[in-house]
Amino acid sequence: MKGLLALFPALFLLLTSCSVPHRGLVETAPQPSTVIVLHGLFASPDHVEPLREGLAAQGIICLSPDLQPSNGSLPIEAMAEQLDSFLQKNVPSNAPLQFVGHSMGGLVALQYLQSATHAQRCRGLFTIATPHHGTFLANLHTGPAGRQMLPNSPFTQNLNSRTPRFPVVTYRTPNDLVIIPNSSSVLSFAENKVIASPGHNEIVSSPELIEDLGRRIRQHDSAAGVR
């Protein structure tokens, strides 16, 4: 009997050490993405508000920075630096991100994500009517961003030369009279989708686009373990 009593303290310690998790092994649940909706040339957050509102109505966290001046007088690299400053001020450094960029906004997002550190946080990139290979209309613009968006400019060729590790989806409409040729919105490493929309700016209000975006954003979060 005395021998059994002597074993109780050791048995108690064994049971309690098994039932209490080690503090170093505590894991937090994956967070849903914060979605950054980016406007394009000669635009502001107001121009992509229908898109932001449509995603927010699906329960998606959305922010839309105001990158100014948006008249093309700044190179796209400078716009990406503004985006970085906005994120540092408004989004926790450990928060996962997804990006939705309309027109030039898609190039700003892709430029921002050239940094490996920034790309690590990205679960997905969606570009809408973005001139990935430039547009002939850029010949009418003499600013730095306009030159970067000339057809097959060195800037766009460099952006397109590296395949991202995160998923990329492009959207375009055949009725786009700003991105010329329309095929400029297509990327070889992306899933490329056509949306029925009357024009370049109208596409951001497309219910088809907003529904598809919301579904894919949630899928990317689910793949990361978000419940």
Side-chain angles (χ1 to χ4, degrees):
M1 184 66 178
K2 290 183 179 180
L4 290 175
L5 290 175
L7 289 176
F8 283 168
L11 181 60
F12 176 79
L13 288 174
L14 177 62
L15 291 175
T16 54
S17 66
C18 292
S19 61
V20 178
H22 191 282
R23 289 182 181 179
L25 300 179
V26 174
E27 296 183 1
T28 57
Q31 305 174 55
S33 300
T34 298
V35 176
I36 309 302
V37 183
L38 298 168
H39 63 79
L41 186 69
F42 298 119
S44 71
D46 289 344
H47 291 79
V48 290
E49 183 62 10
L51 182 54
R52 192 203 64 78
E53 284 186 344
L55 294 175
Q58 300 178 52
I60 295 169
I61 304 166
C62 294
L63 297 175
S64 187
D66 192 9
L67 307 179
Q68 298 298 331
S70 65
N71 59 6
S73 62
L74 292 178
I76 290 171
E77 294 91 340
M79 307 295 280
E81 290 174 5
Q82 282 191 40
L83 171 60
D84 185 33
S85 297
F86 174 87
L87 293 174
Q88 289 185 41
K89 293 176 183 176
N90 295 280
V91 183
S93 60
N94 63 338
L97 301 170
Q98 296 192 55
F99 294 86
V100 178
H102 176 241
S103 195
M104 186 180 71
L107 298 179
V108 173
L110 197 52
Q111 173 63 37
Y112 171 80
L113 293 167
Q114 295 304 292
S115 161
T117 301
H118 298 160
Q120 286 178 351
R121 300 174 63 188
C122 181
R123 288 181 182 164
L125 168 64
F126 305 89
T127 67
I128 305 165
T130 292
H132 288 295
H133 305 280
T135 171
F136 284 110
L137 279 190
N139 285 288
L140 303 177
H141 198 296
T142 59
R147 292 193 295 273
Q148 289 177 312
M149 291 187 284
L150 287 169
N152 296 310
S153 70
F155 173 78
T156 57
Q157 289 186 44
N158 180 60
L159 276 189
N160 302 337
S161 65
R162 283 163 275 184
T163 302
R165 295 188 176 182
F166 45 81
V168 180
V169 180
T170 77
Y171 298 92
R172 62 191 172 97
T173 170
N175 303 312
D176 195 330
L177 300 179
V178 174
I179 309 304
I180 304 172
N182 184 249
S183 59
S184 180
S185 292
V186 172
L187 285 170
S188 61
F189 52 73
E191 181 179 351
N192 302 288
K193 290 184 62 67
V194 174
I195 296 291
S197 170
H200 180 77
N201 292 319
E202 291 81 1
I203 191 172
V204 299
S205 300
S206 164
E208 178 187 359
L209 170 71
I210 293 169
E211 189 280 330
D212 193 72
L213 269 172
R215 178 178 59 81
R216 290 172 184 271
I217 288 168
R218 291 190 297 273
Q219 284 179 345
H220 292 169
D221 278 349
S222 295
V226 177
R227 298 183 180 275

